[in-house]
Amino acid sequence: MPEPRERLFLLDGTALAYRAYFAFMRAANLTDTKGRPTGGVYGFVMTLLKLLEDEKPDHVGVCFDPEGPTFRHELYAEYKATRERMEPDLIAQIDVMREIVRGFDIPVLEVKGYEADDVLGTVAKAAAARGIDTFIVTGDKDLCQCVGPRVRIYNILKPGQDTVILDEDGVLKEWGVPPRRIIDVLALMGDSSDNVPGVPGVGPKTAVKLVQEHGSLREILEKAARDETTVKPPKLREKLLENRALAELSLDLVTIRDDVAVPFRFEDLKMGPRHEERLQELFRELNFTSLLAKVTTTKAATTAHDYRIVRTKADLAALAQSLASVPLFALDTETTGLDPLRSDLVGISVSFEEAKAFYVPVNAELSRAEVLGALRPVLEDANRPKAGQNAKYDTLALRTAGIDVKGYVIDTMIASFCLDPDARQHNLDALALRHFGYRKIPTKDLIGSGKSQRTMAEVPVELVGEYAAEDADFTFRLARHFEPRLVTDEVGALFRDVEMPLMPVLADMEGEGVRVDVARLREMSTDLAVRASALEREVCEIAGTAFNLNSPKQLGPVLFEKLKIQGDRKVKSTQTGYSTDEATLAKFADHPIVKKLLDYRSLTKLKGTYTDSLAELVNPKTGRVHTSYSQVGAITGRLASSDPNLQNIPIRTAEGREIRRAFVPREAGWKLVSADYSQIELRILAHLSGDANLTAAFKEGADIHRQTAARVFGVMPAMVTPELRGRAKAINFGIVYGMGAQRLAEETGMTRKEAVEFIDRYFAAYPGVRDYLDRGRSEARAKGFVTTILGRRRSLREMYESTDPRTVAAAENVAVNTPIQGSAADIIKLAMIRIHREIAERRLASRMILQVHDELVFDVAPSELDEVKELVKSRMEGAYAMNVPLVVDMGAGDDWLAAH
């Protein structure tokens, strides 16, 4: 059996960069540690890594277009003149791509005055001559002319398709001509993207037919000149003769050179070990946490460590004694699942010295009772400082096991968020990689994944011990690493006075949970299913055909081809077909099918997301739903809710509001109390801006929307119509989110001209607001960040580092709305901490159970109703002193909707 030949993969770096940039331009707001966009770089690296992993090539090279004109511009000054200039953000990202390629020890091949295509063609020809099978990785059709016995096109750049590999037969099948004749086809038909003129009036089909019948371009031109009957029809012959010079020029422009003096040696192309430290440095700066793990093959910190498994009573007693005397120790738990309220404890790990940690299993030599009995005193001692990573989980897990942990002074996940809120991940694996270049043991290495996944209780103790001790060790290291930064970065007070005290509050709220009326939910599910089914039938009747309403591939053609709901308007489409998202369909709301379709979607979403799933999420031990709150889920500082997400229950529709009826008190006679900040963001705007008119309106207790309408339209407040008040409300709430005239017009029904005039009048009525917005943008641009009233920071370096106007505009909006949104989040957190503490101090049976945006919900005992309402109102309204009053709307009822 013959030995396989060596393989060279040559990447068209410029084409890959373009594809990655536009594919990931908006993805998850990808930015580096300085706030600069990195979507293109991310997509490029993902593709490069996939290629290296899938193909394991012997040799690799990446070719980029150099800066400046090429020989083709000298031949034809208008070459590529119609192409839009490369976006500055993409240019900057290509420079980073070059650095990453070199970090993989892959040569960057480019020659001034020549395009990447010419370098690819030259190196491919030379490699084939050496007997190396060469694959040109590109989506550029022009490079098909380079295909030969040992050169192929490897196209992974076509969206939504598998890799396509073209050999000579493949090119012939796709083009209709062999590779060597592609230049003749291109010269005849021209190329609008590169502004290659070609022969006017000759399209792709005609060009291919001419080449098939007559051979090369020169042969075609010679035959046309020599014999008037050879090339038909006569008009085509005339075009060829009249434009001979253009055709010959086009041939020069489309022909890829294969004789460029490329400065490289074949030994340089051979795959070698990548420069791990350089790649780690780059990926840390780029915020590529998941990719950082892929290029970290060794535990780059120190492999020397002392991790011990505690197996005897004597060792357990010694450990407990040590923990009682050290200034700080990190604590971590291992459990059988992700839900701490439904999982069993498997073991506890601790660390109080770098590279040294202990794991105490409860399923080995020592019994659960022995372990918990020995560690309980120090774990429940509030005076013994502790560190944790996502300590709320460990708090709940140990509480489930019977231990009420106290004394957490630092949660490294929360510390990371306070210090680096722009970072996309704050889990322990990501933090160890980012700050120490250390790749931790992946969880799936122990428990597996998919159908074969097992629990930690089923993994050998020795393996769990190494993993768990490592967790505690790196939590301790991170705690020591973050402590000085919390001071120097000026977020220590926010961390110490707000975020850390809030953690046990949230743990208590999650542990309490909220009771739901499962019978009511099931009734609602049945009702929603019946109504959705009726709407489905009605939609199909209007369409005149039965089809799957949930399939965009079926829905798009029905709406835009069969019914033509768009009329003369343009239709938004994607690579997979027509766009049928809500924003697109809302533009055609005047068509009878659209409203029914949107109503159908609303009902099915409510059923699937809430009425069905909420019933399934009831904890069988408690009979309640226990949402999980995240302090690191929103960059503004707002809490995020999951499993279930109670913050996204729609309240604008009657059906959405009905879902709140299913949330009920824990016992008969108890009440749910809802306390909701009234217009807190507008009040913060008044406080921060100092606008006299806005401040006066709030101090007087006026209806702010009516007052705004009165000032803007110059009428008495009593003369303000509901329509005018609605317009004022839209701009009041929209102004801090950068609402412009176009969006205001869409939301209120005004013309764009009317909206412009309205906004001008608004700022005339509230000049302090305009000054605040202008000042906020300029200060953010100068400092590179904005802060909330309690010092929470958000980086905005892109305001002065980005050259993309869209990125800068988005950052300017963030500069003015983050201090307002973030301050609202800070204020309700202060209120939660104080209310929770006072409920405990007064030994009340009532509990705080939910936080949703600006609202807190309490489960209140009958005898405590008045006391709790007074307590909550006073602490919420007094949470932070501003120059306008904070006002809380309160209600009580037998369910959440009635209370709200």
Side-chain angles (χ1 to χ4, degrees):
M1 185 175 179
E3 291 187 9
R5 290 197 294 260
E6 293 180 283
R7 297 185 307 154
L8 164 66
F9 280 76
L10 290 172
L11 279 70
D12 184 348
T14 302
L16 181 53
Y18 264 101
R19 171 186 178 268
Y21 177 74
F22 289 105
F24 287 86
M25 186 163 52
R26 299 282 180 265
N29 192 28
L30 294 169
T31 56
D32 65 11
T33 55
K34 296 180 179 178
R36 294 170 297 198
T38 57
V41 181
Y42 181 80
F44 179 90
V45 178
M46 288 289 286
T47 304
L48 176 61
L49 275 170
K50 187 176 189 308
L51 179 74
L52 297 178
E53 292 168 0
D54 289 353
E55 297 295 345
K56 298 178 175 53
D58 304 294
H59 312 274
V60 182
V62 181
C63 304
F64 287 100
D65 288 333
E67 292 183 11
T70 67
F71 75 93
R72 291 182 176 86
H73 294 88
E74 295 175 8
L75 289 173
Y76 182 51
E78 297 302 307
Y79 180 66
K80 291 191 176 180
T82 56
R83 182 176 290 191
E84 289 185 15
R85 291 181 60 116
M86 185 182 290
E87 298 201 25
D89 273 346
L90 175 54
I91 295 173
Q93 291 189 58
I94 287 180
D95 288 339
V96 179
M97 293 174 199
R98 289 187 176 97
E99 280 297 298
I100 290 172
V101 169
R102 295 187 181 103
F104 278 98
D105 196 31
I106 296 171
V108 173
L109 307 171
E110 51 187 79
V111 179
K112 194 168 183 62
Y114 292 89
E115 294 180 56
D117 290 3
D118 303 308
V119 177
L120 288 163
T122 298
V123 178
K125 179 182 177 183
R130 295 170 72 103
I132 298 174
D133 285 340
T134 301
F135 297 83
I136 300 176
V137 182
T138 185
D140 188 347
K141 64 182 185 301
D142 296 5
L143 281 157
C144 285
Q145 65 187 269
C146 299
V147 170
R150 286 186 176 168
V151 179
R152 298 175 187 175
I153 296 296
Y154 187 96
N155 186 0
I156 53 174
L157 306 187
K158 217 163 187 177
Q161 292 190 12
D162 295 332
T163 300
V164 176
I165 299 176
L166 291 179
D167 57 11
E168 291 176 280
D169 289 340
V171 172
L172 178 61
K173 183 178 179 181
E174 185 165 302
W175 280 81
V177 298
R180 70 181 186 281
R181 289 288 167 255
I182 285 175
I183 55 174
D184 304 299
V185 172
L186 290 172
L188 285 163
M189 61 184 271
D191 187 341
S192 59
S193 65
D194 287 344
N195 203 33
V196 174
V199 176
V202 175
K205 290 183 179 179
T206 302
V208 169
K209 185 178 180 183
L210 282 169
V211 173
Q212 289 173 338
E213 292 178 354
H214 305 291
S216 69
L217 176 68
R218 287 188 171 84
E219 289 175 313
I220 293 168
L221 294 175
E222 286 171 7
K223 288 180 181 179
R226 184 176 63 241
D227 185 349
E228 62 183 29
T229 63
T230 305
V231 178
K232 297 177 181 178
K235 284 187 178 180
L236 176 58
R237 176 174 174 269
E238 287 176 18
K239 289 177 183 176
L240 291 169
L241 293 175
E242 288 172 4
N243 296 284
R244 179 171 188 137
L246 274 182
E248 290 174 338
L249 169 64
S250 299
L251 184 66
D252 283 338
L253 294 175
V254 301
T255 300
I256 292 174
R257 303 295 187 262
D258 59 10
D259 56 357
V260 179
V262 184
F264 83 104
R265 301 177 305 164
F266 270 100
E267 19 313 9
D268 296 334
L269 298 175
K270 190 170 183 63
M271 279 298 296
R274 56 200 180 197
H275 306 300
E276 267 196 20
E277 289 188 8
R278 177 57 180 151
L279 288 174
Q280 290 165 7
E281 178 187 352
L282 285 167
F283 287 177
R284 274 195 291 272
E285 184 176 335
L286 291 164
N287 267 335
F288 291 168
T289 304
S290 59
L291 294 180
L292 183 58
K294 288 181 177 287
V295 298
T296 307
T297 57
T298 60
K299 294 176 181 178
T302 172
T303 53
H305 59 258
D306 181 10
Y307 294 165
R308 303 179 187 179
I309 298 175
V310 177
R311 298 180 181 275
T312 68
K313 289 183 180 180
D315 287 344
L316 179 59
L319 176 61
Q321 187 174 359
S322 296
L323 295 178
S325 60
V326 295
L328 177 76
F329 68 88
L331 169 67
D332 188 54
T333 61
E334 298 305 327
T335 64
T336 56
L338 297 175
D339 183 345
L341 300 176
R342 300 195 191 198
S343 302
D344 293 324
L345 184 70
V346 177
I348 299 170
S349 57
V350 293
S351 174
F352 46 83
E353 184 179 338
E354 184 175 316
K356 185 175 182 180
F358 300 84
Y359 175 62
V360 190
V362 300
N363 61 342
E365 290 86 354
L366 294 168
S367 70
R368 176 192 182 95
E370 288 171 326
V371 171
L372 298 183
L375 296 180
R376 184 188 308 278
V378 70
L379 294 182
E380 293 188 342
D381 187 347
N383 296 314
R384 298 267 38 94
K386 302 168 185 69
Q389 164 71 22
N390 189 14
K392 177 161 62 67
Y393 180 93
D394 299 310
T395 297
L396 289 169
L398 286 166
R399 187 176 296 171
T400 302
I403 290 182
D404 190 11
V405 183
K406 294 184 177 67
Y408 276 112
V409 296
I410 182 167
D411 184 323
T412 51
M413 179 181 74
I414 298 172
S416 172
F417 179 70
C418 289
L419 290 163
D420 303 303
D422 294 300
R424 286 184 293 279
Q425 294 183 334
H426 301 278
N427 60 69
L428 188 57
D429 288 16
L431 296 180
L433 269 172
R434 189 184 310 150
H435 297 285
F436 305 116
Y438 186 96
R439 186 177 183 185
K440 288 182 63 274
I441 302 168
T443 308
K444 67 179 182 180
D445 284 5
L446 275 71
I447 64 173
S449 59
K451 294 181 179 179
S452 60
Q453 184 171 319
R454 54 184 176 172
T455 71
M456 280 293 183
E458 299 169 289
V459 179
V461 169
E462 290 73 18
L463 295 179
V464 180
E466 180 77 7
Y467 170 88
E470 185 181 70
D471 279 0
D473 176 17
F474 276 88
T475 298
F476 181 80
R477 297 190 202 201
L478 285 165
R480 290 304 191 207
H481 178 70
F482 286 147
E483 284 171 337
R485 279 193 62 197
L486 287 165
V487 176
T488 58
D489 285 23
E490 299 179 357
V491 292
L494 173 74
F495 176 79
R496 181 187 64 251
D497 300 334
V498 181
E499 297 298 347
M500 280 307 297
L502 184 66
M503 185 275 290
V505 176
L506 297 178
D508 283 355
M509 289 171 65
E510 291 181 21
E512 286 293 331
V514 57
R515 184 178 162 224
V516 294
D517 186 335
V518 175
R520 181 186 289 272
L521 286 172
R522 288 178 177 153
E523 287 176 8
M524 291 181 66
S525 281
T526 301
D527 178 61
L528 289 171
V530 170
R531 293 169 60 191
S533 180
L535 282 169
E536 183 176 21
R537 288 193 301 271
E538 291 171 20
V539 167
C540 290
E541 285 174 8
I542 296 173
T545 183
F547 67 100
N548 183 357
L549 274 61
N550 300 313
S551 168
K553 286 187 177 180
Q554 294 184 37
L555 177 61
V558 169
L559 296 179
F560 301 115
E561 293 176 12
K562 188 174 189 294
L563 299 180
K564 299 188 184 300
I565 68 169
Q566 71 277 22
D568 297 329
R569 287 173 284 184
K570 289 186 178 179
V571 183
K572 181 182 173 183
S573 61
T574 66
Q575 293 164 346
T576 56
Y578 294 102
S579 176
T580 59
D581 60 14
E582 186 171 349
T584 300
L585 293 185
K587 297 175 183 177
F588 312 111
D590 52 341
H591 196 286
I593 199 173
V594 173
K595 185 179 187 310
K596 291 183 182 296
L597 182 61
L598 292 176
D599 287 346
Y600 167 82
R601 285 184 177 178
S602 175
L603 296 182
T604 53
K605 182 178 180 181
L606 286 174
K607 182 178 184 296
T609 307
Y610 295 107
T611 59
D612 287 351
S613 63
L614 277 173
E616 298 299 320
L617 289 170
V618 173
N619 187 314
K621 295 179 183 178
T622 65
R624 300 175 195 162
V625 168
H626 302 263
T627 189
S628 177
Y629 290 105
S630 172
Q631 292 172 256
V632 302
I635 199 168
T636 58
R638 283 189 177 274
L639 295 174
S641 165
S642 61
D643 301 320
N645 181 353
L646 300 181
Q647 298 184 333
N648 280 359
I649 296 176
I651 57 172
R652 293 187 178 181
T653 64
E655 293 83 4
R657 289 190 292 273
E658 278 299 306
I659 291 173
R660 292 193 170 202
R661 286 200 187 278
F663 290 80
V664 295
R666 67 188 60 200
E667 293 178 25
W670 284 52
K671 298 289 183 182
L672 290 189
V673 169
S674 167
D676 197 354
Y677 276 120
S678 172
Q679 301 165 340
I680 187 171
E681 292 186 357
L682 289 178
R683 294 172 189 274
I684 292 170
L685 174 62
H687 173 75
L688 294 176
S689 69
D691 182 86
N693 292 332
L694 198 59
T695 300
F698 279 121
K699 284 185 174 180
E700 294 165 5
D703 178 337
I704 190 63
H705 305 313
R706 182 175 297 278
Q707 196 81 0
T708 296
R711 287 187 176 277
V712 168
F713 292 104
V715 298
M716 296 293 292
M719 302 298 291
V720 172
T721 65
E723 181 186 9
L724 293 182
R725 185 183 182 279
R727 292 180 176 185
K729 183 177 181 179
I731 195 64
N732 271 333
F733 285 122
I735 199 71
V736 296
Y737 298 101
M739 177 184 280
Q742 184 61 41
R743 186 172 151 210
L744 179 62
E746 290 173 358
E747 290 198 7
T748 61
M750 286 189 276
T751 66
R752 194 177 188 285
K753 182 180 178 182
E754 288 173 331
V756 170
E757 292 176 356
F758 187 92
I759 291 174
D760 288 342
R761 289 176 182 173
Y762 177 90
F763 284 128
Y766 300 122
V769 173
R770 181 188 285 279
D771 291 343
Y772 165 74
L773 299 178
D774 292 342
R775 186 171 67 251
R777 295 183 186 106
S778 62
E779 288 180 359
R781 190 175 291 107
K783 294 188 298 185
F785 64 89
V786 291
T787 60
T788 66
I789 54 178
L790 295 186
R792 186 184 307 281
R793 288 193 179 192
R794 181 170 182 178
S795 171
L796 287 172
R797 292 189 181 95
E798 63 266 36
M799 283 187 71
Y800 57 82
E801 291 185 346
S802 177
T803 53
D804 179 10
R806 292 166 299 187
T807 300
V808 173
E812 287 180 342
N813 285 338
V814 168
V816 294
N817 69 44
T818 288
I820 295 171
Q821 276 192 305
S823 295
D826 291 346
I827 288 172
I828 200 166
K829 286 179 177 179
L830 287 175
M832 292 170 70
I833 293 165
R834 292 167 187 172
I835 292 168
H836 179 268
R837 181 173 60 235
E838 196 154 343
I839 284 176
E841 289 172 353
R842 297 189 189 188
R843 299 181 180 276
L844 298 176
S846 303
R847 293 290 181 265
M848 181 163 55
I849 56 171
L850 292 176
Q851 190 272 347
V852 179
H853 305 308
D854 303 322
E855 178 187 10
L856 297 177
V857 180
F858 300 83
D859 206 347
V860 181
S863 61
E864 298 172 354
L865 183 59
D866 291 339
E867 182 179 2
V868 168
K869 289 174 71 174
E870 185 279 328
L871 164 64
V872 170
K873 187 174 180 65
S874 64
R875 298 305 175 267
M876 287 182 73
E877 292 184 342
Y880 187 82
M882 299 198 302
N883 57 18
V884 297
L886 286 171
V887 174
V888 172
D889 295 327
M890 298 195 71
D894 292 329
D895 57 64
W896 187 8
L897 181 61
H900 187 77

